[in-house]
Amino acid sequence: MAAALILTVPVFVMGMVSLPAHFVTLASFSGVESVTGLAHVLLSAVGSALLILVAVSYRRRMRGRCPRCGQNHSGGFDGALAHPDPSRASKRTRVAVFLLMCGLLPWAGVKTIWTLGGDAIGVTAHGWREMNAGESELAKDLASVGIDVTVLAAMTAIFLLLGLLYPWGQAFPRWTLILSGRRVPRLLPLLPAWLSSVGLSVYGVFLLIYASLSATGVVPKPKPSGAFTTGSGITWMIAFGGLAFAGLGFGLIAAARSYSARTLPICAGAAARVPAPPA
């Protein structure tokens, strides 16, 4: 069983790597390039989630622990669950996530300059508009006020990151009106965080490695294409993209790991014997 899970889970995880790219495409109303490809990515994501849950449960049972809460307790595994009080991530986790989020600044800054009509790293505003002439009307409307749709998607991910780090991600805040004070379903922030972090991390690391090899001459430097008038500009943009995607991906992993540990429910029979996690 363990060998089957070790061999199978990575296959499904690699099949869902492009999930963030599909999300950006759908969010900008740019249409679906391949329905079959999107269905494959979604099924891979569902398969990954289910297999990982099975692996966690199996590991707990093999260690003689409760397969649901991971604690040692007697009695059944289908009773009530005790949920911990809202808490924020540790200072070390928050500092690490904020530093990783800084990787977005060069990438978002360059795109904002282009969208506002400026020139940077060998790309003119006119060339940028021509290259994106085929985008959806929503993307064009956002660009007219200086907002790039991919930067907006990154801001959504930052909102998710903050929710994973602070108590308002565990209990709905006041501005949610009728939901205010209610417990946030644990998987509501965790699923998008885990599913998107893998693809972002892998893609970001790949871009950073390629940019480094290109800058040092190990691989041929890219030739000017599209709106880019210099090959070095493409290399810089690849490096900026790698910093942004890797930073966001690993930030989501760190924040989701902290959130998962802080919000882990415990079977009511074991709750009295397990101390509350530190804030």
Side-chain angles (χ1 to χ4, degrees):
M1 179 63 71
L5 289 171
I6 291 172
L7 293 173
T8 308
V9 171
V11 175
F12 280 87
V13 169
M14 292 306 298
M16 51 165 275
V17 165
S18 60
L19 184 62
H22 284 282
F23 168 75
V24 174
T25 302
L26 292 173
S28 61
F29 297 99
S30 299
V32 178
E33 183 177 350
S34 171
V35 176
T36 306
L38 177 59
H40 173 264
V41 172
L42 292 176
L43 289 174
S44 296
V46 172
S48 300
L50 293 176
L51 283 173
I52 290 172
L53 289 175
V54 169
V56 171
S57 176
Y58 176 77
R59 183 169 177 265
R60 288 172 176 173
R61 290 200 306 272
M62 292 299 293
R63 293 188 173 188
R65 297 178 178 272
C66 171
R68 188 169 65 161
C69 71
Q71 300 294 327
N72 272 323
H73 65 82
S74 58
F77 306 135
D78 55 353
L81 286 173
H83 294 272
D85 295 331
S87 61
R88 65 178 181 177
S90 66
K91 183 178 180 180
R92 183 165 63 176
T93 299
R94 284 181 279 127
V95 170
V97 171
F98 290 146
L99 289 176
L100 288 167
M101 284 169 57
C102 291
L104 284 164
L105 296 178
W107 171 81
V110 168
K111 284 206 163 188
T112 303
I113 291 173
W114 293 335
T115 307
L116 291 174
D119 303 339
I121 59 173
V123 177
T124 63
H126 178 70
W128 177 253
R129 285 193 295 267
E130 284 188 345
M131 190 174 72
N132 294 277
E135 289 191 345
S136 66
E137 291 300 323
L138 175 61
K140 292 179 181 178
D141 292 339
L142 290 173
S144 65
V145 294
I147 301 176
D148 184 84
V149 65
T150 55
V151 175
L152 186 62
M155 295 299 294
T156 304
I158 291 175
F159 177 79
L160 174 61
L161 270 171
L162 295 177
L164 292 169
L165 294 176
Y166 291 97
W168 59 266
Q170 297 172 250
F172 286 104
R174 294 179 180 178
W175 50 264
T176 55
L177 302 179
I178 60 174
L179 295 176
S180 177
R182 296 187 181 184
R183 182 175 59 84
V184 176
R186 189 165 179 260
L187 293 181
L188 183 62
L190 278 179
L191 277 180
W194 285 124
L195 294 178
S196 59
S197 62
V198 175
L200 289 170
S201 303
V202 172
Y203 187 51
V205 170
F206 172 79
L207 291 180
L208 287 173
I209 294 174
Y210 179 80
S212 301
L213 296 177
S214 175
T216 55
V218 177
V219 299
K221 293 184 178 181
K223 297 180 180 180
S225 61
F228 288 88
T229 58
T230 62
S232 59
I234 298 178
T235 301
W236 275 113
M237 195 57 192
I238 292 173
F240 291 164
L243 286 173
F245 299 139
L248 196 55
F250 286 112
L252 282 169
I253 290 175
R257 185 174 179 272
S258 172
Y259 185 92
S260 179
R262 293 179 358 252
T263 60
L264 182 66
I266 301 174
C267 291
R273 299 193 298 273
V274 178

